[in-house]
Amino acid sequence: MSASAVAIVTDSTADIAAEIAAENEITVVPLAVSFGADTFVDGDLTQEQFFARMAIEPRLPTTSQPPPGAFEEAYARLLETASSVVSIHISNRLSGTIESARQAAERFGDRVTVIDSLNLSWGLALQVVEAARAARAGSDVAAIAARVADARKRLGLIVGLDSLDNLARGGRIGRVSAFLGSVLDIKVTLCVDEQGEFQPVGRDRGERAAINRTLAWVERHMGAARRGSFAVGHAMGLERARGLADALRERYEVDELVIYEAGSVICAHTGSGWGVAVLPAT
């Protein structure tokens, strides 16, 4: 990395695979997940290992944001060779991670810019990848921030859950609970709104109906656009994700499509399910 380059940082709730992070020169600061006294860095456990452990534990795992020191260390290391850092993170409405990043950034003055994605998973990752590509093309901080803001306005994320157990017990659904009532055995779809909070999309009996609702939501979000970039995530449902990816390829001209695994921190709150992130082309 040249001394004039802008370095890009995010956190592990972006669910960016290690090879994609390396290819795009993205630094990922991990959150952590704990089963009682046993704490694991996000990514230490495979998805299968995580769900197997969660199935036998009496309580849901807890998650914790990185301490400011973790971000300070990352920023200091990157600023040895980069002129500036742009650090993009999970919505402030869903995690305190961005506050840790902001506290750490204070040490470095205007050399570190922290951006709230107002999203999570690949709703966050698509913004991070846009920033990384702009940085590698030689854009300055202002231009990178503008590109991220443009992507944030255009993109959307819908999540489908096999069960609401984890979200309900973890207290992450907020106003959504009024919509759901006590019906926890129905597959529910949620999206992330402009304020970075979960909002209900629908509830359906059966997977096929929920998948159809997901695709209908994507259609509405795409609007008149027939081309875009997509990311399809899964938590213990790779074949379902592949089916969703095939459906997207049939319907749209796909610039890029990533199939990814949701990480332990995301899965601790959602349980098993799927997600589709959409970035319509301009």
Side-chain angles (χ1 to χ4, degrees):
M1 183 179 293
S2 69
S4 62
V6 178
I8 305 301
V9 175
T10 191
D11 60 77
S12 61
T13 66
D15 290 332
I16 295 177
E19 59 270 21
I20 294 177
E23 176 186 347
N24 291 279
E25 299 181 4
I26 297 164
T27 297
V28 179
V29 177
L31 282 76
V33 62
S34 300
F35 293 95
D38 296 336
T39 297
F40 302 90
V41 171
D42 199 7
D44 278 357
L45 299 176
T46 66
Q47 200 174 82
E48 290 76 13
Q49 289 171 332
F50 174 78
F51 274 91
R53 179 72 181 261
M54 189 162 60
I56 62 173
E57 289 287 337
R59 296 182 179 84
L60 284 179
T62 58
T63 60
S64 54
Q65 65 208 43
F71 286 110
E72 282 190 26
E73 181 179 344
Y75 297 158
R77 175 175 53 81
L78 291 167
L79 290 171
E80 291 177 0
T81 52
S83 61
S84 304
V85 169
V86 172
S87 198
I88 311 168
H89 299 288
I90 182 174
S91 170
N92 74 91
R93 301 298 181 94
L94 302 174
S95 171
T97 296
I98 196 167
E99 289 308 316
S100 288
R102 285 171 174 158
Q103 289 178 40
E106 290 176 0
R107 172 185 163 189
F108 303 96
D110 61 4
R111 296 189 71 192
V112 177
T113 299
V114 178
I115 297 175
D116 191 338
S117 74
L118 299 177
N119 222 305
L120 76 160
S121 196
W122 267 74
L124 161 59
L126 284 169
Q127 297 178 53
V128 174
V129 171
E130 286 288 302
R133 288 174 176 166
R136 293 178 71 187
S139 297
D140 61 14
V141 170
I144 293 169
R147 183 161 168 176
V148 170
D150 175 68
R152 184 168 59 247
K153 285 188 294 186
R154 290 186 288 119
L155 67 80
L157 174 70
I158 184 168
V159 175
L161 305 179
D162 291 319
S163 165
L164 277 170
D165 233 11
N166 290 51
L167 269 184
R169 289 164 63 190
R172 285 300 198 280
I173 53 177
R175 287 176 295 167
V176 178
S177 58
F179 171 82
L180 300 171
S182 60
V183 186
L184 300 183
D185 60 340
I186 288 179
K187 296 188 186 300
V188 170
T189 42
L190 312 170
C191 68
V192 180
D193 67 16
E194 293 178 354
Q195 285 72 49
E197 294 183 293
F198 282 123
Q199 294 294 341
V201 174
R203 49 184 177 177
D204 297 281
R205 293 191 182 278
E207 180 176 305
R208 176 42 52 194
I211 293 298
N212 287 340
R213 188 183 293 275
T214 298
L215 292 170
W217 181 91
V218 170
E219 182 72 20
R220 289 194 301 274
H221 190 83
M222 287 290 289
R226 295 292 89 193
R227 181 170 61 87
S229 297
F230 305 88
V232 181
H234 72 91
M236 302 300 289
L238 177 57
E239 289 307 311
R240 179 167 55 193
R242 286 173 173 163
L244 271 165
D246 288 343
L248 293 171
R249 291 188 185 99
E250 290 172 1
R251 288 165 169 77
Y252 307 104
E253 182 181 343
V254 173
D255 289 335
E256 292 181 279
L257 195 155
V258 174
I259 296 178
Y260 69 93
E261 285 193 353
S264 296
V265 167
I266 295 292
C267 291
H269 298 294
T270 64
S272 63
W274 66 94
V276 180
V278 182
L279 182 61
T282 54

